[in-house]
Amino acid sequence: MAKTKTNQPGSESNSEKLWGGRFDGATDPTVERFSASVHFDRALARYDIRGSIAHAQMLAASDLIPNEDAEALVAGLTSIQNQIDADEFEFDPALEDVHMNIETRLHEQIGAVAGRLHTGRSRNDQVATDLALYLKDACQAAQLGVLELQLILIERAKEHIDTILPGYTHLQRAQPVRLAHHWLAYVELLSRDRQRFFDARNRLSHCPLGAGAIAGSTLPLDRSHTAEALGFTAPTRNSMDSVSSRDMALEIMADTAICMINLSRMAEEWVIWSSTEFSFMELADAYSTGSSLMPQKKNPDVPELVRGKSGRTVGNLVSLLTTMKGLPLSYNRDMQEDKEPLFDSVSTLRDCLEVMSGALATAHINVERMAEAAQDPMLLATDLAEALVREGVPFREAHEVVGRIVAHCVKTGADLQHLSHADLSEFHSAFSSGAETLLDLERSFAERTLVGGTARERVQQAISETESELIEARKAVEDMA
Ligand code: ARG
């Protein structure tokens, strides 16, 4: 548990402030509580320590501090990291934020030499650097999470290449599709989501350290040294931009919101498919819950929660957009409000990807129910119109003719599938045979060989091509520096 120290106005506790020289009075306890961020920004601790280690080593390499002091700083920081890993580090809200907590502990551990760490540095460039490192990891994790779900979609698509269900528009049965094709649609959507995180990570290539509070430093810092040590390609090019921008957090929250909205659509389908009315899918017991009152219920809470949680990621994005709106250059304390919505979006996406992957991998698909629903001959009405087009009839005319045939079936109860050649000829002389021949599901699929279509070989090809792409992408993302 973190302990709370309070500074009484005029008390000596103000000396606890590492930057307290300017102040006579201590911070009001309410203000201390109000402005503290360590209860959430502690999530940045390991990035803060990485940044501080790189900074200390650069200071020594630039002859700004003795080598042995840098070694003492690095050893102290490493030991603090170990304490955090072992859950033995007590974060103190009276020390405001993660940066001051770590630096204060360093003082306690290694004494006055700790005072050299903040040479040529401000918390403004420090927090910007921590965030950039955090965001790079978040982009990598999001890509891996998306890839995992995509690979499960591919696995299940392989299993269900011959499972046929109605494809829907307006949630009305439209045309029959393969379940594999349906799932590959999500694989495509998720690839774009993944690419957005990939692109965002590439934009996180410049290191803010050395920008200081706003205008750099008079000290001869080697900014390229820290940039390289932390895996950036170069230092940022403008010190004011470095400490005042949060567009990368916004971008990643936008990417997260888009991805979550996409997940919410798949989740919604699973909810619908799990209903008794559809019965296309049954989630495994491990991914369903019961009702506390109705013993018969098996509820799809997991996809429902994913659908629900997509809302908060949109809210998080809007929250930070609104915080940033109209902020003058450069750093403003408002920007401390970036972290809670950001962290929430990042962990929400991670969790949702994980549960969606597990739920999909273990779900039972009711192949018979899907096939039964796809038997509806009306789903092939478009094929009937296209049969007329093949005979030279303009499509608009063919559409009209088939519309009348469908209306006739609806009115008289006749079965579209069983209309004879003579029946069809009453509607148009160009029909070459009866509906039984023209409305063959197998043939209908076999003919859909267009790129992106539902013919078996097309879907097979899409599965194998996409799978190798995904496996390659996963290797590349795992190896990201
Ligand atoms: N906790 C602060 C934040 O997240 C760190 C920077 C504080 N800088 C300052 N000048 N008060 O934005």
Side-chain angles (χ1 to χ4, degrees):
M1 271 309 283
K3 60 181 162 54
T4 312
K5 287 186 214 156
T6 50
N7 293 346
Q8 293 307 318
S11 80
E12 292 200 349
S13 63
N14 203 34
S15 61
E16 285 170 9
K17 282 181 175 171
L18 291 173
W19 67 100
R22 165 75 178 76
F23 293 84
D24 289 329
T27 316
D28 183 277
T30 315
V31 172
E32 217 169 63
R33 236 187 357 263
F34 178 69
S35 56
S37 56
V38 70
H39 53 290
F40 53 84
D41 67 15
R42 54 194 285 179
L44 294 176
R46 69 194 160 100
Y47 303 105
D48 198 66
I49 291 173
R50 254 172 76 192
S52 288
I53 289 177
H55 186 68
Q57 287 167 336
M58 177 279 289
L59 291 174
S62 310
D63 291 329
L64 285 161
I65 63 171
N67 275 331
E68 54 275 24
D69 287 4
E71 280 160 23
L73 291 172
V74 171
L77 288 163
T78 308
S79 127
I80 291 173
Q81 180 64 64
N82 292 337
Q83 293 161 39
I84 294 172
D85 291 344
D87 220 2
E88 283 162 5
F89 190 95
E90 217 176 282
F91 288 96
D92 180 355
L95 295 171
E96 199 173 300
D97 59 21
V98 64
H99 322 293
M100 298 318 300
N101 267 266
I102 291 172
E103 203 181 325
T104 306
R105 172 61 58 88
L106 196 61
H107 274 267
E108 287 162 13
Q109 271 189 206
I110 65 172
V113 66
R116 291 198 185 276
L117 178 61
H118 217 51
T119 309
R121 190 176 74 166
S122 151
R123 279 186 298 162
N124 297 353
D125 59 345
Q126 190 178 352
V127 73
T129 306
D130 293 2
L131 265 182
L133 292 169
Y134 169 88
L135 289 171
K136 280 177 81 169
D137 274 4
C139 285
Q140 186 182 22
Q143 288 176 76
L144 288 174
V146 172
L147 275 162
E148 171 71 16
L149 179 56
Q150 287 184 294
L151 284 161
I152 289 167
L153 281 161
I154 292 280
E155 274 317 303
R156 304 253 34 198
K158 281 192 213 163
E159 203 184 311
H160 286 286
I161 185 142
D162 290 317
T163 300
I164 309 299
L165 77 160
Y168 293 81
T169 61
H170 313 266
L171 202 55
Q172 304 287 321
R173 289 176 184 170
Q175 292 183 314
V177 294
R178 292 174 191 281
L179 180 54
H181 191 67
H182 186 108
W183 276 338
L184 284 171
Y186 283 113
V187 174
E188 291 298 305
L189 189 59
L190 289 166
S191 277
R192 291 192 295 277
D193 287 340
R194 189 160 47 75
Q195 285 154 12
R196 274 187 274 273
F197 288 111
F198 179 86
D199 294 344
R201 195 174 187 276
N202 281 343
R203 258 184 292 289
L204 287 160
S205 51
H206 289 70
C207 182
L209 263 189
I214 169 168
S217 173
T218 58
L219 299 169
L221 308 173
D222 183 350
R223 293 194 62 204
S224 299
H225 190 287
T226 28
E228 200 184 318
L230 292 171
F232 294 101
T233 52
T236 47
R237 300 197 305 184
N238 181 294
S239 63
M240 292 179 76
D241 171 51
S242 311
V243 295
S244 62
S245 298
R246 292 294 181 267
D247 56 293
M248 287 312 304
L250 286 172
E251 179 172 341
I252 286 155
M253 289 167 80
D255 297 347
T256 298
I258 295 171
C259 186
M260 280 297 303
I261 292 301
N262 289 335
L263 292 182
S264 81
R265 302 182 63 187
M266 184 153 57
E268 165 72 357
E269 263 181 9
W270 296 358
V271 172
I272 295 173
W273 286 7
S274 304
S275 67
T276 313
E277 283 71 12
F278 265 78
S279 298
F280 279 6
M281 179 184 214
E282 187 179 340
L283 295 172
D285 287 357
Y287 288 91
S288 319
T289 51
S291 157
S292 58
L293 191 144
M294 299 166 283
Q296 86 283 10
K297 290 293 286 292
K298 185 171 175 187
N299 296 327
D301 293 38
V302 166
E304 287 175 281
L305 276 168
V306 169
R307 191 175 61 182
K309 282 174 189 287
S310 64
R312 65 198 279 162
T313 63
V314 175
N316 288 337
L317 170 63
V318 173
S319 156
L320 184 55
L321 280 169
T322 314
T323 298
M324 295 307 293
K325 179 182 176 298
L327 280 189
L329 293 185
S330 61
Y331 179 81
N332 298 274
R333 190 66 182 269
D334 315 43
M335 286 152 64
Q336 179 168 294
E337 291 292 307
D338 59 354
K339 292 173 197 63
E340 283 171 292
L342 172 65
F343 296 163
D344 184 70
S345 283
V346 168
S347 63
T348 299
L349 178 64
R350 182 198 55 215
D351 293 349
C352 290
L353 286 167
E354 197 180 321
V355 292
M356 289 287 274
S357 295
L360 179 62
T362 53
H364 169 73
I365 298 301
N366 192 340
V367 174
E368 293 73 31
R369 270 294 287 197
M370 286 187 171
E372 208 180 297
Q375 283 313 315
D376 183 347
M378 292 296 188
L379 300 190
L380 295 179
T382 311
D383 288 33
L384 205 54
E386 286 175 0
L388 282 178
V389 169
R390 279 181 222 270
E391 304 299 332
V393 179
F395 180 75
R396 286 288 177 214
E397 185 186 336
H399 184 281
E400 162 77 23
V401 169
V402 176
R404 278 192 277 114
I405 297 175
V406 168
H408 163 78
C409 291
V410 171
K411 216 177 296 162
T412 63
D415 185 352
L416 180 67
Q417 188 108 47
H418 295 119
L419 294 183
S420 66
H421 188 201
D423 295 334
L424 290 180
S425 301
E426 280 182 32
F427 291 92
H428 203 292
S429 58
F431 281 111
S432 60
S433 51
E436 214 130 358
T437 322
L438 295 174
L439 298 185
D440 179 56
L441 194 62
E442 288 300 317
R443 217 202 50 211
S444 174
F445 270 114
E447 281 169 353
R448 292 175 186 279
T449 54
L450 293 186
V451 175
T454 53
R456 194 176 201 283
E457 68 266 30
R458 275 297 180 194
V459 176
Q460 190 69 64
Q461 183 191 11
I463 289 176
S464 46
E465 282 176 10
T466 317
E467 185 176 32
S468 6
E469 272 170 34
L470 294 178
I471 289 171
E472 225 168 275
R474 185 168 60 182
K475 239 183 96 25
V477 178
E478 277 167 355
D479 291 348
M480 271 173 179

